[in-house]
Amino acid sequence: MAKRPTCVKVGVDLQPLNTLAIAAQADYFARVSNVEDLREVLLWQREASLSLLLLGGGSNLVLRGDWHGLVLQFRDTAVSVVERDGDDVLVRAGAGVVWHDLVLHCSAQGWHGLENLALIPGSVGAAPMQNIGAYGVELESLVESLDVVELSSGKAAQLSREQCQFGYRDSIFKTQAAGKYLITAVTLRLSSYFCPVLNYPALRDALPSENPSPQQVIDTVVAVRQSKLPDPAELPNAGSFFKNPVVSSALVDRLLEQYPDMPHYPAAAGQQKLAAAWLIDRAGWRGKGLGPVAMHDKQALVLTNPSGANGAQVLALADKVAQDVAARFGVALEIEPQCVGGGHG
Ligand code: EPU
């Protein structure tokens, strides 16, 4: 049996490592910054038959309970240009780079495309998992490839954008390949030519000009986000707690008869996307809580945990909200962050 690597710590508090500030412990915790160290830790973890939780920035995570196994964070923070191809710039960023820092860095270097994704919490390595998106841009439109390590073998591989099977807040890493890979780096196809994406009304309306500079887009996205979304450092949260539900157009038509102002957006044929925030708001949950946790008063889709409640208390509120929305609108809400631990992990 391999000796426990020195970077593996025993009995680590996970509360500072998840933005919902859920109180939980990990039996073992390791932070590594290169593939060699990663392989050593993975070998030990397999030999010790420990269940593995990969942690990025901890901004999309609900810990149901303690993690009886190893929590692993991969922290490569290198950023480099790997290729230039006309206006296109291929930028490779290590999984440990803070997402917002990458947005600022790339835009400042004149590598454009990420501006609408400013201030999304979390790390670069976690971004493809849920195909982060905001203000009319989804990560998938910018991904060239991902560098991954297969957890069962320690082998490095590269996945193309197609192989990642991106969807709305979804990817192969949440479905067929869940638990199969660790993402070590993301290569993005950015452009030295700035072409702003202004199709999201809340962003367009807030911009100072119809032809904004990259910095104006970043500043406006930051201001809009800050006006609605609480800063996890001040009020613990995990961003949107539910996905926007995709439902049949027939149901949307029925609901519009009763709620003519209900927001609805085009989706696949015969389907439409609803605003979970609006449904939760109309069900009476904006600014309301259950026990120590509450739905945010400025954005009903954000569940906040001001006093470090545990995962069961967080999920009790989420269940109650989902039940009320189902009873009132006949719409099932799906939790957006990854729920792990507590014997179900
Ligand atoms: N609304 C309400 N009540 C509220 C908040 C919003 O009725 O308390 C209504 C708004 O008036 C609007 C609609 O709901 O008509 C949608 O709201 P908003 O434009 O704020 O966006 P969202 O659908 O709630 C999504 C993403 C966010 C992303 C924003 C901006 C999801 C689950 N959420 O929110 O992503 O930042 O659009 O693009 O897709 C995240 O994933 O963690 C996240 C924050």
Side-chain angles (χ1 to χ4, degrees), residues 14 17-24 53-55 57-67 237-242 293 303-305 309-319 334-345:
L14 295 175
L17 298 173
N18 75 97
T19 64
L20 255 173
I22 288 178
L53 171 61
L54 302 176
L55 188 68
S59 59
N60 202 45
L61 186 66
V62 180
L63 293 160
R64 289 197 196 95
D66 292 338
W67 185 261
N237 74 88
S240 300
F241 203 83
F242 298 97
V293 285
L303 187 151
T304 61
N305 183 21
N310 64 30
Q313 290 167 307
V314 165
L315 291 171
L317 171 60
D319 281 351
E334 195 186 323
I335 290 182
E336 205 265 308
Q338 195 193 356
C339 297
V340 299
H344 306 270

Side-chain angles (χ1 to χ4, degrees), residues 237-261:
N237 74 88
S240 300
F241 203 83
F242 298 97
K243 290 188 186 186
N244 283 332
V246 176
V247 301
S248 73
S249 298
L251 174 60
V252 174
D253 290 344
R254 280 203 304 280
L255 287 169
L256 282 172
E257 283 174 24
Q258 210 182 336
Y259 308 100
D261 62 335

Side-chain angles (χ1 to χ4, degrees), residues 107-171:
S107 195
Q109 299 294 318
W111 311 330
H112 301 298
L114 299 176
E115 287 78 5
N116 294 38
L117 304 178
L119 211 62
I120 294 183
S123 62
V124 164
M129 298 273 306
Q130 50 150 342
N131 184 19
I132 59 168
Y135 306 108
V137 174
E138 283 188 329
L139 181 70
E140 65 171 298
S141 65
L142 300 160
V143 168
E144 178 72 10
S145 62
L146 303 186
D147 293 348
V148 297
V149 165
E150 192 181 46
L151 297 169
S152 61
S153 64
K155 278 196 195 125
Q158 204 168 55
L159 300 182
S160 66
R161 177 194 351 195
E162 291 68 33
Q163 285 174 305
C164 296
Q165 297 181 17
F166 289 119
Y168 165 63
R169 293 295 188 278
D170 202 22
S171 72

Side-chain angles (χ1 to χ4, degrees), residues 60 120-121 130 133-136 168-169 200 202 225 228-229 238-244 263 265 273-279 281-282 286 296-302 336:
N60 202 45
I120 294 183
Q130 50 150 342
Y135 306 108
Y168 165 63
R169 293 295 188 278
Y200 200 90
R225 289 188 76 92
K228 294 184 187 169
L229 299 167
S240 300
F241 203 83
F242 298 97
K243 290 188 186 186
N244 283 332
Y265 313 98
K273 197 191 265 184
L274 299 178
W278 186 92
L279 298 168
D281 192 339
R282 285 304 172 99
R286 180 157 58 84
H296 191 49
D297 57 354
K298 294 203 192 93
Q299 222 306 2
L301 192 48
V302 176
E336 205 265 308

Side-chain angles (χ1 to χ4, degrees), residues 51-211:
S51 51
L52 179 65
L53 171 61
L54 302 176
L55 188 68
S59 59
N60 202 45
L61 186 66
V62 180
L63 293 160
R64 289 197 196 95
D66 292 338
W67 185 261
H68 298 297
L70 171 70
V71 174
L72 180 59
Q73 221 173 20
F74 186 74
R75 277 284 141 126
D76 177 4
T77 55
V79 178
S80 60
V81 171
V82 288
E83 194 186 317
R84 285 181 189 267
D85 172 13
D87 280 341
D88 288 5
V89 188
L90 267 63
V91 177
R92 181 179 184 277
V97 178
V98 172
W99 176 262
H100 182 61
D101 292 349
L102 182 71
V103 174
L104 297 180
H105 176 73
C106 289
S107 195
Q109 299 294 318
W111 311 330
H112 301 298
L114 299 176
E115 287 78 5
N116 294 38
L117 304 178
L119 211 62
I120 294 183
S123 62
V124 164
M129 298 273 306
Q130 50 150 342
N131 184 19
I132 59 168
Y135 306 108
V137 174
E138 283 188 329
L139 181 70
E140 65 171 298
S141 65
L142 300 160
V143 168
E144 178 72 10
S145 62
L146 303 186
D147 293 348
V148 297
V149 165
E150 192 181 46
L151 297 169
S152 61
S153 64
K155 278 196 195 125
Q158 204 168 55
L159 300 182
S160 66
R161 177 194 351 195
E162 291 68 33
Q163 285 174 305
C164 296
Q165 297 181 17
F166 289 119
Y168 165 63
R169 293 295 188 278
D170 202 22
S171 72
I172 195 163
F173 307 105
K174 282 175 110 177
T175 54
Q176 290 107 295
K180 188 168 180 198
Y181 300 112
L182 182 141
I183 297 167
T184 54
V186 176
T187 300
L188 300 169
R189 183 174 285 272
L190 304 179
S191 177
S192 52
Y193 176 75
F194 178 56
C195 180
V197 178
L198 305 177
N199 55 15
Y200 200 90
L203 174 61
R204 206 173 45 225
D205 298 348
L207 278 162
S209 133
E210 277 177 18
N211 193 10

